[in-house]
């Protein structure tokens, strides 16, 4: 069997349950075409549609996409405004398609910073897809990993103050229940497009044991083929979670 086909057959058995993606490179994609940055963001929405449908079809349980970070407010006001508009229109347009694909849509991040109009769109998107039983699509908007952890700490502190929780009971397991994505399996595979090798304040706690995959492909060019490459790389990795490879092999052979 060639390396390629063995990776392909392995990938069927070793499909990540949860994929988390930093969709980066929209601006450079546009610049390469002498287009305004916004054209790259628009093209990025098309790539989102593709990856969502592919993940749904392959049987991935959850897909978390970083759409707007808590640091992205630092961009020029015009770009921020256009991104907000794009999120609003894309949602209005795509929810029907998500329903057709049995996708359940959710958002994580501090949405209180958004306009009332956008906040209700986010809420509607969640409500209109909540009965779906296929892929869970999580979109991170005004999200920051440090915010997530601080927010969890605040919720926990309040419970301690109110006497609902004992300080002794705070451990990793309990802490995680106050974080975003607490009801989903942890991300198994992290993908970042656009060539940068950093986490940029995305899921900090939740990525503790994710397999990391970086590609130079710019987000608007990310398609089924590039997704398959990431999946094939994932399928070839041995996840040891602190154990030795001998232990893992023994367990897999058992
Ligand atoms: C990612 O693409 C999209 C968002 C952060 C909203 P960028 O806009 O960061 O694209 P580059 O990194 O400038 O190419
Ligand atoms: C990360 O991309 C955020 C999103 C993709 C939404 P950035 O392009 O903002 O990341 P940095 O600033 O280059 O690290
Ligand atoms: Mg970028």
């Amino acid at each position: 069997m060639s390396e390629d086909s063995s990776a392909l057959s392995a990938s069927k058995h070793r499909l990540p349950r949860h994929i988390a993606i930093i969709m980066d490179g929209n601006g450079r994609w546009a610049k390469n075409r002498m287009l305004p940055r916004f054209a790259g963001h628009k093209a990025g929405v098309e790539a989102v549609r593709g990856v969502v449908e592919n993940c749904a079809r392959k049987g991935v349980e959850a897909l978390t996409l970083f759409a707007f970070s808590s640091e992205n407010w630092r961009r020029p006001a015009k770009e921020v405004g256009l991104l907000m508009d794009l999120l609003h229109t894309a949602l209005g347009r795509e929810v029907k398609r998500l329903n057709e694909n049995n996708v359940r849509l959710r958002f994580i991040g501090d949405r209180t910073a958004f306009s009332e109009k956008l906040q209700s769109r986010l809420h509607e998107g969640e409500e209109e897809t909540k009965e779906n039983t296929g892929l869970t699509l999580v979109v991170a908007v005004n999200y920051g990993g440090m915010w997530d952890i601080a927010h969890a700490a605040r919720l926990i502190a309040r419970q301690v103050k109110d006497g609902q929780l004992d300080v002794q009971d705070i451990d990793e397991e309990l802490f995680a229940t106050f974080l975003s994505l607490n009801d989903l399996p942890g991300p198994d595979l992290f993908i970042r497009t656009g060539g940068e090798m950093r986490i940029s304040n995305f899921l900090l706690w939740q990525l503790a044991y994710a397999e990391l995959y970086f590609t130079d492909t710019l987000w608007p060019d990310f398609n089924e083929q590039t997704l398959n490459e990431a999946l094939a790389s994932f399928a070839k990795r041995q996840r040891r979670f602190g154990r030795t490879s001998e232990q893992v092999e023994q367990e897999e052979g058992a």
Side-chain angles (χ1 to χ4, degrees):
M1 210 188 274
S2 76
E3 211 205 344
D4 257 14
S5 60
S6 69
L8 200 71
S9 63
S11 69
K12 276 187 205 137
H13 305 290
R14 305 179 73 168
L15 185 71
R17 295 177 66 188
H18 186 167
I19 304 176
I21 308 183
I22 297 187
M23 312 182 288
D24 197 20
N26 293 349
R28 280 162 285 166
W29 183 92
K31 198 173 178 193
N32 291 344
R33 286 164 178 74
M34 318 252 250
L35 293 168
R37 292 180 57 84
F38 182 63
H41 296 314
K42 268 175 89 169
V45 175
E46 304 296 315
V48 168
R49 190 186 292 146
V51 78
V52 168
E53 293 187 4
N54 281 313
C55 285
R57 193 149 25 85
K58 288 177 197 293
V60 172
E61 287 172 49
L63 173 67
T64 298
L65 301 176
F66 205 6
F68 191 86
S69 76
S70 43
E71 287 71 36
N72 287 144
W73 297 107
R74 297 177 185 156
R75 293 192 176 196
K78 188 171 163 228
E79 179 167 345
V80 170
L82 287 170
L83 282 167
M84 295 297 141
D85 291 347
L86 186 62
L87 184 58
H88 192 267
T89 48
L91 271 171
R93 212 179 41 222
E94 301 296 329
V95 167
K96 186 165 166 268
R97 196 187 282 264
L98 293 177
N99 277 326
E100 283 164 9
N101 286 295
N102 197 19
V103 176
R104 185 167 64 123
L105 177 64
R106 298 203 347 217
F107 297 92
I108 57 169
D110 183 5
R111 51 179 100 177
T112 58
F114 296 134
S115 69
E116 290 286 325
K117 197 176 83 164
L118 185 53
Q119 286 188 51
S120 18
R121 245 310 136 83
L122 301 181
H123 183 68
E124 281 159 25
E126 291 178 325
E127 282 299 307
E128 287 167 25
T129 60
K130 71 176 181 199
E131 307 293 342
N132 294 336
T133 54
L135 175 76
T136 297
L137 171 62
V138 183
V139 182
V141 285
N142 191 22
Y143 177 86
M146 290 191 278
W147 166 82
D148 201 354
I149 294 168
H151 180 252
R154 201 157 54 230
L155 297 176
I156 291 169
R158 195 173 297 146
Q159 292 209 354
V160 171
K161 190 164 167 251
D162 294 347
Q164 291 168 272
L165 192 68
D166 200 290
V167 170
Q168 304 304 322
D169 294 334
I170 303 172
D171 57 11
E172 293 99 309
E173 207 182 324
L174 177 115
F175 200 97
T177 64
F178 289 86
L179 289 164
S180 304
L181 309 180
N182 57 13
D183 56 338
L184 295 172
D188 305 292
L189 172 63
F190 161 90
I191 300 173
R192 181 173 187 142
T193 62
E196 311 297 347
M197 305 230 199
R198 53 179 176 252
I199 305 282
S200 298
N201 198 18
F202 194 27
L203 307 159
L204 296 178
W205 175 294
Q206 298 89 335
L207 291 178
Y209 254 112
E211 294 297 326
L212 308 181
Y213 181 86
F214 297 93
T215 169
D216 288 335
T217 302
L218 302 173
W219 177 252
D221 293 327
F222 194 82
N223 57 21
E224 182 164 20
Q225 192 200 320
T226 39
L227 173 65
N228 283 341
E229 283 162 14
L231 292 174
S233 169
F234 176 82
K236 277 191 268 187
R237 302 193 193 181
Q238 185 184 54
R239 304 187 76 195
R240 290 195 280 276
F241 298 102
R243 293 168 300 168
T244 67
S245 45
E246 288 77 14
Q247 287 175 299
V248 177
E249 280 153 24
Q250 211 165 36
E251 208 162 277
E252 279 175 353

